[in-house]
Amino acid sequence: MSMDVLYTAVATAENGRDGRVASDDGKLDVVVNPPKELGGSGAGTNPEQLFAAGYAACFQSALGVVARREGADVSGSTVTAEVGLGKTADGGYGLAVAVSARIPGVDQAVATALVEKAHQVCPYSRAVRGNVEVTLSVIG
């Protein structure tokens, strides 16, 4: 797929999951450590938290785009992304993502349709489609 790149983010990691990650502009500079659940110290953030944060923010924006197209008001809404890391059947590792949206004042059926449409336009959703199991839900 060809595209016209509008923005490129650059980040560099040192020492993988037990080190540091920083963006080239200095706006992001964090210590990363494996979580306690994976035998690490849990002192810093981890790649899954960073991915969850990016996915949630991106999906929230996609939801806003879809809502504007549909004439729906999603002000006050929130999106939460849960990123799970686990072992795959072939002995490797994989990710699973659960995206949940809370859209106050919007009928459940309408909210569900908006979330499904946002999933089609969100760049993160498009990037993982076919590679990562993503479940969607709308929280009353």
Side-chain angles (χ1 to χ4, degrees):
M1 175 172 73
S2 178
M3 70 173 186
D4 180 21
V5 176
L6 302 174
Y7 170 75
T8 300
V10 178
T12 302
E14 299 171 4
N15 297 321
R17 290 181 163 275
D18 205 1
R20 177 178 161 261
V21 177
S23 61
D24 65 334
D25 62 4
K27 293 181 181 176
L28 177 73
D29 191 342
V30 295
V31 171
V32 289
N33 300 116
K36 290 181 180 182
E37 296 84 349
L38 297 178
S41 70
T45 189
N46 60 67
E48 291 71 38
Q49 287 177 328
L50 296 169
F51 186 67
Y55 204 148
C58 188
F59 200 97
Q60 176 75 41
S61 291
L63 180 62
V65 167
V66 168
R68 282 189 293 283
R69 288 181 189 162
E70 301 282 323
D73 180 7
V74 295
S75 58
S77 65
T78 59
V79 171
T80 300
E82 298 178 37
V83 175
L85 172 70
K87 290 234 180 183
T88 60
D90 65 3
Y93 289 90
L95 299 175
V97 177
V99 175
S100 59
R102 182 180 306 275
I103 309 173
V106 175
D107 175 79
Q108 184 79 12
V110 172
T112 299
L114 290 171
V115 165
E116 289 171 0
K117 289 177 183 177
H119 185 50
Q120 296 306 308
V121 298
C122 173
Y124 275 62
S125 291
R126 293 172 55 102
V128 302
R129 189 164 291 124
N131 296 307
V132 174
E133 179 184 337
V134 177
T135 58
L136 305 173
S137 64
V138 175
I139 301 168

